Amino acid sequence: MAATNNVKYLKSLQAVRERSQAIYERATKGELQHFDFDQSKIESVADYVVSLVERDYGTIDKVPTHGRWRSYCLAIDGSKRDLVSEHVAKWKASGVSDWECAQRVIDLFVVSVLIDAGAGSKWRYTDSLGVFERTEGLGIAALRMFESGVFSSSPNYPFQADALALMALTGETLLQGFQVSEENPLLGGENRAELLRSLGRAMSGDGAAYFGGECA
């Protein structure tokens, strides 16, 4: 099998299921190096998970959807804030279409997720809303950079992420956006910038094949 076919297979849902099944079968035979598997405990584990759901949410249908949006749903001074919804409301009030609002939110979420890796235990992001760390802090930092047009090549359209801006993004710019200093270190800052530059190159080279439409 060619290397490209191997990569395509490993990214497929079929591969996830087949490899998971292979690991499961080895577990039932006691062939794992780091874990012991006890089939008789499966129902107990399931019951325990259900008890946690019922304790925290009442019913399974009330469990919040996992996604990047939740990083922008904050409890501030006893009140709940949805920063993305607040932006969408402002955009719509200024005449921005639903389609354009969706594009802006997607752009924010894509860059925000790509630069959301382990921040380290010392890093903090200080914002007018408070001091944040880890995933929440990285998300707020990404939002503030998005608002200021860091990911856009057009001063007139700050709320977007386009190929030209991403390819030109420097590690220094990103570190400034994350408020990094000797006293506030962030793990892998330059690697995050390179990841966004790689996205920009993909969008610029054959963007339509990956994303459709005009990406630059």
Side-chain angles (χ1 to χ4, degrees):
M1 181 181 293
T4 54
N5 290 334
N6 279 328
V7 171
K8 183 177 181 180
Y9 165 73
L10 290 173
K11 290 182 176 180
S12 69
L13 181 59
Q14 177 188 356
V16 173
R17 289 173 171 167
E18 291 178 353
R19 304 320 299 164
S20 296
Q21 181 64 30
I23 294 173
Y24 171 74
E25 291 175 357
R26 294 196 65 174
T28 60
K29 298 175 183 178
E31 296 177 352
L32 299 184
Q33 295 183 16
H34 305 291
F35 300 95
D36 292 323
F37 175 67
D38 187 345
Q39 181 75 42
S40 68
K41 300 294 185 180
I42 292 295
E43 290 190 12
S44 297
V45 171
D47 291 339
Y48 177 68
V49 173
V50 170
S51 72
L52 294 180
V53 170
E54 292 175 343
R55 182 195 70 186
D56 295 340
Y57 304 105
T59 57
I60 191 73
D61 61 301
K62 293 182 180 179
V63 177
T65 301
H66 177 73
R68 192 50 169 164
W69 198 310
R70 288 187 63 197
S71 295
Y72 300 113
C73 297
L74 309 174
I76 307 295
D77 296 329
S79 61
K80 294 182 178 181
R81 298 277 302 275
D82 184 336
L83 303 184
V84 173
S85 291
E86 290 175 11
H87 269 297
V88 171
K90 291 177 183 178
W91 293 335
K92 288 186 175 181
S94 64
V96 178
S97 68
D98 289 345
W99 181 262
E100 175 64 21
C101 286
Q103 287 183 312
R104 294 180 179 188
V105 171
I106 291 171
D107 281 5
L108 167 62
F109 285 0
V110 168
V111 296
S112 178
V113 168
L114 287 178
I115 56 180
D116 181 12
S121 60
K122 297 181 179 181
W123 180 81
R124 303 288 186 275
Y125 185 81
T126 302
D127 188 75
S128 60
L129 298 176
V131 179
F132 304 93
E133 58 184 22
R134 302 187 185 278
T135 291
E136 199 172 58
L138 293 169
I140 297 297
L143 175 63
R144 298 312 183 208
M145 285 188 274
F146 184 76
E147 292 169 345
S148 62
V150 168
F151 310 118
S152 172
S153 63
S154 173
N156 297 323
Y157 298 97
F159 300 110
Q160 65 178 17
D162 61 63
L164 293 178
L166 294 179
M167 286 190 296
L169 184 67
T170 66
E172 181 181 1
T173 297
L174 199 63
L175 293 180
Q176 288 176 350
F178 281 128
Q179 302 176 349
V180 173
S181 66
E182 289 185 5
E183 296 75 26
N184 191 39
L186 175 70
L187 297 177
E190 175 56 34
N191 291 338
R192 299 169 203 264
E194 176 56 29
L195 189 58
L196 292 184
R197 289 194 292 267
S198 295
L199 173 61
R201 290 192 292 270
M203 294 165 64
S204 176
D206 194 15
Y210 289 105
F211 309 104
E214 178 61 49
C215 299

mmCIF file of all heavy atoms in Angstrom, residues 47-67:
data_model
loop_
_atom_site.group_PDB
_atom_site.id
_atom_site.type_symbol
_atom_site.label_atom_id
_atom_site.label_comp_id
_atom_site.label_asym_id
_atom_site.label_seq_id
_atom_site.Cartn_x
_atom_site.Cartn_y
_atom_site.Cartn_z
ATOM 1 N N ASP A 47 -22.590 2.603 34.783
ATOM 2 C CA ASP A 47 -23.477 3.130 35.827
ATOM 3 C C ASP A 47 -22.865 4.345 36.514
ATOM 4 O O ASP A 47 -23.566 5.306 36.847
ATOM 5 C CB ASP A 47 -23.775 2.039 36.863
ATOM 6 C CG ASP A 47 -24.648 0.929 36.320
ATOM 7 O OD1 ASP A 47 -25.337 1.168 35.307
ATOM 8 O OD2 ASP A 47 -24.650 -0.173 36.912
ATOM 9 N N TYR A 48 -21.561 4.303 36.708
ATOM 10 C CA TYR A 48 -20.872 5.421 37.358
ATOM 11 C C TYR A 48 -20.942 6.672 36.486
ATOM 12 O O TYR A 48 -21.210 7.779 36.984
ATOM 13 C CB TYR A 48 -19.419 5.048 37.637
ATOM 14 C CG TYR A 48 -18.609 6.175 38.242
ATOM 15 C CD1 TYR A 48 -18.875 6.629 39.523
ATOM 16 C CD2 TYR A 48 -17.575 6.758 37.515
ATOM 17 C CE1 TYR A 48 -18.130 7.671 40.076
ATOM 18 C CE2 TYR A 48 -16.823 7.796 38.058
ATOM 19 C CZ TYR A 48 -17.111 8.245 39.341
ATOM 20 O OH TYR A 48 -16.374 9.270 39.879
ATOM 21 N N VAL A 49 -20.711 6.510 35.188
ATOM 22 C CA VAL A 49 -20.778 7.643 34.270
ATOM 23 C C VAL A 49 -22.182 8.237 34.261
ATOM 24 O O VAL A 49 -22.369 9.462 34.314
ATOM 25 C CB VAL A 49 -20.357 7.233 32.847
ATOM 26 C CG1 VAL A 49 -20.603 8.373 31.849
ATOM 27 C CG2 VAL A 49 -18.890 6.823 32.820
ATOM 28 N N VAL A 50 -23.197 7.376 34.209
ATOM 29 C CA VAL A 50 -24.581 7.845 34.233
ATOM 30 C C VAL A 50 -24.869 8.612 35.524
ATOM 31 O O VAL A 50 -25.547 9.651 35.519
ATOM 32 C CB VAL A 50 -25.552 6.663 34.086
ATOM 33 C CG1 VAL A 50 -26.992 7.116 34.346
ATOM 34 C CG2 VAL A 50 -25.444 6.056 32.691
ATOM 35 N N SER A 51 -24.333 8.127 36.644
ATOM 36 C CA SER A 51 -24.574 8.809 37.920
ATOM 37 C C SER A 51 -23.969 10.210 37.921
ATOM 38 O O SER A 51 -24.547 11.145 38.499
ATOM 39 C CB SER A 51 -24.004 7.975 39.078
ATOM 40 O OG SER A 51 -22.588 8.011 39.092
ATOM 41 N N LEU A 52 -22.808 10.370 37.272
ATOM 42 C CA LEU A 52 -22.199 11.695 37.187
ATOM 43 C C LEU A 52 -23.031 12.634 36.317
ATOM 44 O O LEU A 52 -23.205 13.816 36.635
ATOM 45 C CB LEU A 52 -20.787 11.580 36.621
ATOM 46 C CG LEU A 52 -19.753 10.849 37.487
ATOM 47 C CD1 LEU A 52 -18.408 10.820 36.783
ATOM 48 C CD2 LEU A 52 -19.610 11.500 38.859
ATOM 49 N N VAL A 53 -23.560 12.099 35.214
ATOM 50 C CA VAL A 53 -24.411 12.901 34.335
ATOM 51 C C VAL A 53 -25.646 13.359 35.085
ATOM 52 O O VAL A 53 -26.044 14.537 35.028
ATOM 53 C CB VAL A 53 -24.793 12.110 33.081
ATOM 54 C CG1 VAL A 53 -25.867 12.858 32.289
ATOM 55 C CG2 VAL A 53 -23.576 11.853 32.214
ATOM 56 N N GLU A 54 -26.277 12.432 35.790
ATOM 57 C CA GLU A 54 -27.489 12.775 36.531
ATOM 58 C C GLU A 54 -27.198 13.767 37.649
ATOM 59 O O GLU A 54 -28.004 14.657 37.923
ATOM 60 C CB GLU A 54 -28.114 11.500 37.096
ATOM 61 C CG GLU A 54 -28.668 10.577 36.014
ATOM 62 C CD GLU A 54 -29.172 9.264 36.573
ATOM 63 O OE1 GLU A 54 -28.796 8.930 37.732
ATOM 64 O OE2 GLU A 54 -29.934 8.570 35.878
ATOM 65 N N ARG A 55 -26.046 13.616 38.285
ATOM 66 C CA ARG A 55 -25.681 14.531 39.368
ATOM 67 C C ARG A 55 -25.469 15.958 38.857
ATOM 68 O O ARG A 55 -25.925 16.933 39.467
ATOM 69 C CB ARG A 55 -24.396 14.044 40.035
ATOM 70 C CG ARG A 55 -23.946 14.906 41.227
ATOM 71 C CD ARG A 55 -22.519 14.598 41.605
ATOM 72 N NE ARG A 55 -21.577 15.087 40.583
ATOM 73 C CZ ARG A 55 -20.267 14.847 40.603
ATOM 74 N NH1 ARG A 55 -19.741 14.097 41.559
ATOM 75 N NH2 ARG A 55 -19.491 15.327 39.643
ATOM 76 N N ASP A 56 -24.785 16.078 37.723
ATOM 77 C CA ASP A 56 -24.390 17.398 37.242
ATOM 78 C C ASP A 56 -25.388 18.033 36.287
ATOM 79 O O ASP A 56 -25.483 19.264 36.215
ATOM 80 C CB ASP A 56 -23.025 17.302 36.556
ATOM 81 C CG ASP A 56 -21.917 16.924 37.529
ATOM 82 O OD1 ASP A 56 -22.108 17.097 38.747
ATOM 83 O OD2 ASP A 56 -20.862 16.438 37.065
ATOM 84 N N TYR A 57 -26.131 17.205 35.533
ATOM 85 C CA TYR A 57 -26.997 17.754 34.493
ATOM 86 C C TYR A 57 -28.444 17.285 34.558
ATOM 87 O O TYR A 57 -29.291 17.834 33.855
ATOM 88 C CB TYR A 57 -26.427 17.424 33.107
ATOM 89 C CG TYR A 57 -25.013 17.914 32.921
ATOM 90 C CD1 TYR A 57 -23.939 17.041 32.944
ATOM 91 C CD2 TYR A 57 -24.749 19.269 32.742
ATOM 92 C CE1 TYR A 57 -22.634 17.496 32.775
ATOM 93 C CE2 TYR A 57 -23.442 19.736 32.575
ATOM 94 C CZ TYR A 57 -22.399 18.841 32.595
ATOM 95 O OH TYR A 57 -21.117 19.299 32.445
ATOM 96 N N GLY A 58 -28.726 16.279 35.348
ATOM 97 C CA GLY A 58 -30.098 15.780 35.443
ATOM 98 C C GLY A 58 -30.370 14.668 34.461
ATOM 99 O O GLY A 58 -30.623 13.536 34.843
ATOM 100 N N THR A 59 -30.311 14.982 33.161
ATOM 101 C CA THR A 59 -30.546 13.979 32.125
ATOM 102 C C THR A 59 -29.489 14.132 31.035
ATOM 103 O O THR A 59 -28.852 15.185 30.893
ATOM 104 C CB THR A 59 -31.938 14.139 31.487
ATOM 105 O OG1 THR A 59 -32.062 15.465 30.952
ATOM 106 C CG2 THR A 59 -33.036 13.909 32.524
ATOM 107 N N ILE A 60 -29.322 13.072 30.244
ATOM 108 C CA ILE A 60 -28.277 13.036 29.229
ATOM 109 C C ILE A 60 -28.463 14.131 28.188
ATOM 110 O O ILE A 60 -27.497 14.673 27.645
ATOM 111 C CB ILE A 60 -28.231 11.637 28.544
ATOM 112 C CG1 ILE A 60 -26.970 11.504 27.687
ATOM 113 C CG2 ILE A 60 -29.474 11.400 27.717
ATOM 114 C CD1 ILE A 60 -25.710 11.349 28.484
ATOM 115 N N ASP A 61 -29.703 14.498 27.876
ATOM 116 C CA ASP A 61 -29.959 15.492 26.842
ATOM 117 C C ASP A 61 -29.592 16.912 27.273
ATOM 118 O O ASP A 61 -29.571 17.827 26.451
ATOM 119 C CB ASP A 61 -31.429 15.442 26.407
ATOM 120 C CG ASP A 61 -32.374 15.742 27.554
ATOM 121 O OD1 ASP A 61 -32.326 15.011 28.558
ATOM 122 O OD2 ASP A 61 -33.162 16.698 27.447
ATOM 123 N N LYS A 62 -29.287 17.083 28.554
ATOM 124 C CA LYS A 62 -28.908 18.404 29.051
ATOM 125 C C LYS A 62 -27.392 18.584 29.170
ATOM 126 O O LYS A 62 -26.928 19.639 29.609
ATOM 127 C CB LYS A 62 -29.577 18.663 30.401
ATOM 128 C CG LYS A 62 -31.091 18.788 30.310
ATOM 129 C CD LYS A 62 -31.700 19.096 31.672
ATOM 130 C CE LYS A 62 -33.217 19.224 31.560
ATOM 131 N NZ LYS A 62 -33.844 19.503 32.883
ATOM 132 N N VAL A 63 -26.641 17.567 28.788
ATOM 133 C CA VAL A 63 -25.178 17.696 28.793
ATOM 134 C C VAL A 63 -24.785 18.673 27.688
ATOM 135 O O VAL A 63 -25.165 18.492 26.531
ATOM 136 C CB VAL A 63 -24.498 16.333 28.555
ATOM 137 C CG1 VAL A 63 -22.985 16.504 28.484
ATOM 138 C CG2 VAL A 63 -24.865 15.359 29.666
ATOM 139 N N PRO A 64 -24.026 19.730 28.005
ATOM 140 C CA PRO A 64 -23.658 20.721 26.984
ATOM 141 C C PRO A 64 -22.842 20.098 25.856
ATOM 142 O O PRO A 64 -22.023 19.206 26.081
ATOM 143 C CB PRO A 64 -22.807 21.741 27.758
ATOM 144 C CG PRO A 64 -23.180 21.538 29.192
ATOM 145 C CD PRO A 64 -23.506 20.085 29.327
ATOM 146 N N THR A 65 -23.079 20.570 24.652
ATOM 147 C CA THR A 65 -22.312 20.115 23.506
ATOM 148 C C THR A 65 -20.856 20.536 23.669
ATOM 149 O O THR A 65 -20.562 21.677 24.034
ATOM 150 C CB THR A 65 -22.870 20.720 22.210
ATOM 151 O OG1 THR A 65 -24.234 20.338 22.078
ATOM 152 C CG2 THR A 65 -22.087 20.244 21.000
ATOM 153 N N HIS A 66 -19.953 19.601 23.421
ATOM 154 C CA HIS A 66 -18.532 19.938 23.510
ATOM 155 C C HIS A 66 -18.103 20.645 22.240
ATOM 156 O O HIS A 66 -18.396 20.207 21.137
ATOM 157 C CB HIS A 66 -17.685 18.675 23.694
ATOM 158 C CG HIS A 66 -16.219 18.951 23.717
ATOM 159 N ND1 HIS A 66 -15.600 19.552 24.785
ATOM 160 C CD2 HIS A 66 -15.253 18.725 22.801
ATOM 161 C CE1 HIS A 66 -14.307 19.677 24.533
ATOM 162 N NE2 HIS A 66 -14.070 19.184 23.331
ATOM 163 N N GLY A 67 -17.411 21.760 22.396
ATOM 164 C CA GLY A 67 -16.947 22.484 21.229
ATOM 165 C C GLY A 67 -16.224 23.747 21.627
ATOM 166 O O GLY A 67 -16.222 24.159 22.795
#
